[in-house]
Each structure stands twice: as structure tokens, then as C-alpha cells.
Amino acid sequence: MRRIVCLVVAVVALAGVVADTLPASRPADEAAAAIHGGKLPAGYRDWRLISVAHEEGNFNSFAAVLGNEVAIKAYREGKLPFPDGTIIASLHYRHAASEENNKVFGRAQSFVAGPATNIQFMVKDAKTYAATGGWGFYQFNEGKPVDATMLKSCYPCHALNKDRDLVFTRYAP
Amino acid sequence: MRRIVCLVVAVVALAGVVADTLPASRPADEAAAAIHGGKLPAGYRDWRLISVAHEEGNFNSFAAVLGNEVAIKAYREGKLPFPDGTIIASLHYRHAASEENNKVFGRAQSFVAGPATNIQFMVKDAKTYAATGGWGFYQFNEGKPVDATMLKSCYPCHALNKDRDLVFTRYAP
């Protein structure tokens, strides 16, 4: 279950010892610095779509996966490994049945984004996050960063996906 | 089933008799003109996220719902009815089990965007589309506009959702 919690997100504990602040000369760096500093990066809700995702079982989640400029460019060019500055955000919601839609359709078939549950970020910086495959993994619940111990299971699971630079989500056309 | 096909999309036949081209002074108008003219609007894949959606049953679809600038602004301000120039795009994919993800998780729980099936647009123009509640409904399969007769069932279904200006999708935070 703990490894499931960390679907998209790094051992913040390790990151913490590397640097208190990251360089902030480019927008991607500013966003990375914000995330590392425990704040949601400005404008992440305006980032472009990578794809959608749904996990059944205990997780019962519905996700919109968004990427910053660096991420979108790398995805579209099929660039692997992802370059430093890549940030991938998974906005998680409950996978909720829509009673109002089902009423219109006349059958139970419609699912929508329910209450927001968490937002997870993968931040690429080969040097800063060298101990976790070049990726920093972060999670925010209701806008607050979760404890680093919660995120220790992220890396081992993502590491299984080495062929795609530890990233599960593929780009949707 | 036919009404299910038209989840987000209007009686193009009716729209066709109104105007061959729409005014193209603003980006929203240019996009509307392109859609009306049978072309996917430039840059729609870069539009911002409204929400995600999943329909079970025969439809078996996974959608990312995106909006142009006018749409996003109206959603965020809670503006109803939506102003002229609003365009909502539903990018539909198959709701596909991800074998590669399930192998990592050790159980069957992961669903991702499968092959793209269609893209549907709702275009708001109270005058042009007066006969269908102010909305034009369009669908593209593999980049080509579908026949107007396919879209006749869209409006009657969307019309049931009058309280929210015929739009099913709510904005995800």
C-alpha cells in the first residue's frame, strides 16, 4: 500500500541535505525551488496536459498529469532521459461516480473528479537527486508538504521503470 | 447509445445554414472558425485542464477536458451562462488497463489513456447557435469532422443540464 501511495512522486530527506535552495534563474528552477521549499509552485494548475490516469483498489484515484514547459517539450520530442528542469505534476482526485450525469444518461456509467486528495511532483535534477535516480519526489496534501518519511517508498517503485527514466505516465496524443 | 456518443459536443446541420465563416478577430474566434470549418483549432492540445472524466459501459472512455482562455476564465469565476467565445474540448481515449504499470504494482489496478478515439468541442455563440441553446457541438475522428447527422443527439441530451448552461463537466480544483 505504501508503494502505491507514491505513484508519481523522492526521499525528500536525502534532498534536504543537498541544498536549502535551488537556483532560481529559469521558471523551471523557480518552480523546483518552491516545491523543494514546501510550497506549491506558482501557476502549476496552468501547466499543460501530459495524460490522465486512474488507479482502482484502495487508491481509487483519478489523476490529471500535467507538465511544465521542459516536461512537455521532452515528451513531445521523445527525449529520454528527461532533462534537468523537468517537473511532472499529478493532480489526484477521488474517482467519483457522478449521480447527476447518470441521471441524465439513465444508467450508472459516469465517473468524474471527486474531492482533491493530493498533488504529487517529480522534479528532475540529476545532480541534486543523484541518490534517487535524478528525481525528487514530493507530495502536497491540501497545499501542505507531506513528511519525508511518507515518500521513501516512491523511488524504489519508480526505479523499476528504468527504461523510461522512472516515469510511468506516457504522453497522450 | 447514440446520445452517449455525444457527451460533450450540436446539430452542425443547423449551424451550417447560419454562416460559412465566423468572425476571426480574437483567438477564440479563430478557433471557433477553424472548428466550424472542419479543422482542429491550432494549439487546442495546449489548452488548460478543466477536469477529467470516465464513462463505463459501451463507451469505455477516458477523457481530458480542456478549455480555451475564455472557458478557463469563466470556470474560475463561476460565470454562468458561459460567454460567447467559450470553447470546451473533450479529448477522448479508450480507458485502457496498463499491463506495464500493473506488473510493477503487483496487481491489476492501473488504467491509462489508451488509443485516442475522438475529440469533441462545444463552442459558445448565443446568436450563431441559438437553435441549440447557444452551443455548437462538433466531433473529430482522427482529425476529420464527423457527419452532422451523428451530432443531432448531442443537444437534446445536453439541454437536460440547463442549470449549468448545458455543460456537464465541472472545474477540478
Side-chain angles (χ1 to χ4, degrees), chain A residues 4 46 56 76 93 109 173, chain B residues 46 55-56 76 93 107 173:
Chain A
I4 299 168
D46 292 333
E56 284 188 344
R76 291 183 179 173
Y93 309 93
Q109 68 165 46
Chain B
D46 292 333
E55 299 298 320
E56 284 187 344
R76 291 182 178 174
Y93 309 92
R107 51 172 145 176

Side-chain angles (χ1 to χ4, degrees), chain A residues 4-39:
Chain A
I4 299 168
V5 171
C6 291
L7 247 192
V8 176
V9 197
V11 194
V12 173
L14 281 173
V17 304
V18 179
D20 281 328
T21 52
L22 298 171
S25 53
R26 301 170 303 166
D29 292 335
E30 284 171 30
I35 293 167
H36 183 68
K39 285 184 184 156

Side-chain angles (χ1 to χ4, degrees), chain A residues 1 3-4 7 44-59 62-64 66 72 76 91 93 95 100-102 104-116 157-158 160-161 164 168-173, chain B residues 1 3-4 7 44-59 62-64 66 72 76 91 93 95 100-102 104-116 157-158 160-161 164 168-173:
Chain A
M1 178 57 195
R3 51 176 4 190
I4 299 168
L7 247 192
Y44 75 93
R45 185 58 183 73
D46 292 333
W47 291 356
R48 283 177 280 173
L49 178 81
I50 297 169
S51 192
V52 291
H54 166 212
E55 299 298 321
E56 284 188 344
N58 295 334
F59 208 49
F62 211 171
L66 310 181
I72 294 293
R76 291 183 179 173
L91 284 58
Y93 309 93
H95 183 254
E100 61 186 2
N101 289 1
N102 290 337
V104 173
F105 303 142
R107 52 172 143 176
Q109 68 165 46
S110 185
F111 293 86
V112 296
C157 191
H158 279 268
L160 297 172
N161 210 349
R164 289 194 286 131
F168 285 102
T169 305
R170 293 181 183 274
Y171 185 82
Chain B
M1 180 56 195
R3 55 180 355 194
I4 298 169
L7 249 192
Y44 75 93
R45 184 60 182 73
D46 292 333
W47 291 356
R48 284 177 279 174
L49 178 81
I50 297 170
S51 192
V52 291
H54 166 212
E55 299 298 320
E56 284 187 344
N58 295 334
F59 208 49
F62 212 169
L66 309 181
I72 294 293
R76 291 182 178 174
L91 284 57
Y93 309 92
H95 183 253
E100 61 186 1
N101 289 359
N102 290 337
V104 174
F105 302 143
R107 51 172 145 176
Q109 68 164 46
S110 185
F111 294 86
V112 296
C157 190
H158 279 267
L160 297 171
N161 211 349
R164 289 194 285 134
F168 285 101
T169 304
R170 294 180 182 274
Y171 185 81

Side-chain angles (χ1 to χ4, degrees), chain B residues 13-94:
Chain B
L14 282 173
V17 304
V18 179
D20 281 331
T21 52
L22 298 171
S25 54
R26 299 170 304 165
D29 292 334
E30 283 171 29
I35 293 167
H36 183 69
K39 286 183 184 155
L40 288 169
Y44 75 93
R45 184 60 182 73
D46 292 333
W47 291 356
R48 284 177 279 174
L49 178 81
I50 297 170
S51 192
V52 291
H54 166 212
E55 299 298 320
E56 284 187 344
N58 295 334
F59 208 49
N60 185 34
S61 78
F62 212 169
V65 186
L66 309 181
N68 70 350
E69 289 289 336
V70 182
I72 294 293
K73 187 167 183 288
Y75 264 114
R76 291 182 178 174
E77 293 174 355
K79 205 174 192 171
L80 281 179
F82 286 91
D84 283 359
T86 297
I87 308 180
I88 299 168
S90 265
L91 284 57
H92 287 117
Y93 309 92
R94 291 259 169 255

